Amino acid sequence: MTDDLLDATDHEILGLLREDARRTLSDIAGRVTLSTAAVKRRIDRLRETGVITGFTVQVDHAKLGWGIEAFTELRFVGNTKVAEILRTTTRMPEAQAVFTIAGDPDALVWLRVRDMAHLQATIDEIRRHHQVTGTKTLIALESWARGS
């Protein structure tokens, strides 16, 4: 389903669910001026077509002791396959997301760690991978993200 197949009401429903995925169907219906049944049909259609891929919970990682976020650029040996780039960090609990990139660097890894010593150990672990030729790490001071 492409964006041109979604109408303004579908986008409004998606926006409401991004704000609060636990919002009731009747609350959504009242805000978009449809019946509860019509909202349910639309949400079911959005799920069936893959526009909505799931529902998640937002966690305050700082309260769990993992409050430092960093982004590490990775550079690899020239013949490294994309699948190998992904395998380098996806098994690490510190890795929140890995993005392979066309150009320099080869990948960007979003990390979440407990403290600076934990960050250093994580970077050291990444650097031990035999195909990593270089890293550059940026520490996030504050963040904001649009709901996905």
Side-chain angles (χ1 to χ4, degrees):
M1 175 176 276
T2 60
D3 192 50
D4 58 325
L5 296 178
L6 301 179
D7 64 17
T9 303
D10 291 327
H11 284 286
E12 192 173 355
I13 290 169
L14 287 170
L16 291 167
L17 289 171
R18 281 186 189 118
E19 288 174 7
D20 182 0
R22 295 183 67 200
R23 192 182 299 271
T24 65
L25 292 175
S26 61
D27 178 59
I28 295 170
R31 292 171 185 260
V32 299
T33 63
L34 289 176
S35 70
T36 302
V39 168
K40 181 177 182 337
R41 283 193 300 274
R42 283 177 180 255
I43 291 172
D44 288 346
R45 178 177 47 84
L46 292 168
R47 291 183 73 195
E48 289 166 6
T49 57
V51 172
I52 295 175
T53 58
F55 298 90
T56 63
V57 63
Q58 294 179 343
V59 175
D60 184 340
H61 294 280
K63 290 184 179 176
L64 297 176
W66 289 61
I68 295 176
E69 290 180 274
F71 294 87
T72 299
E73 297 177 354
L74 301 181
R75 286 166 184 77
F76 286 80
V77 173
N79 63 352
T80 307
K81 294 185 184 324
V82 172
E84 183 63 25
I85 291 171
L86 291 172
R87 275 194 299 276
T88 300
T89 56
T90 54
R91 292 187 204 110
M92 299 174 69
E94 296 85 358
Q96 304 302 298
V98 180
F99 305 90
T100 56
I101 300 170
D104 184 38
D106 298 304
L108 181 65
V109 182
W110 170 24
L111 298 170
R112 190 178 301 279
V113 295
R114 293 182 300 273
D115 53 35
M116 296 309 289
H118 187 195
L119 178 60
Q120 181 177 341
T122 301
I123 299 303
D124 287 346
E125 181 180 343
I126 291 170
R127 286 179 176 167
R128 279 193 292 272
H129 190 278
H130 67 282
Q131 291 185 306
V132 173
T133 61
T135 64
K136 176 182 174 184
T137 301
L138 307 160
I139 298 170
L141 300 176
E142 194 171 343
S143 66
W144 172 88
R146 183 177 312 284
S148 37

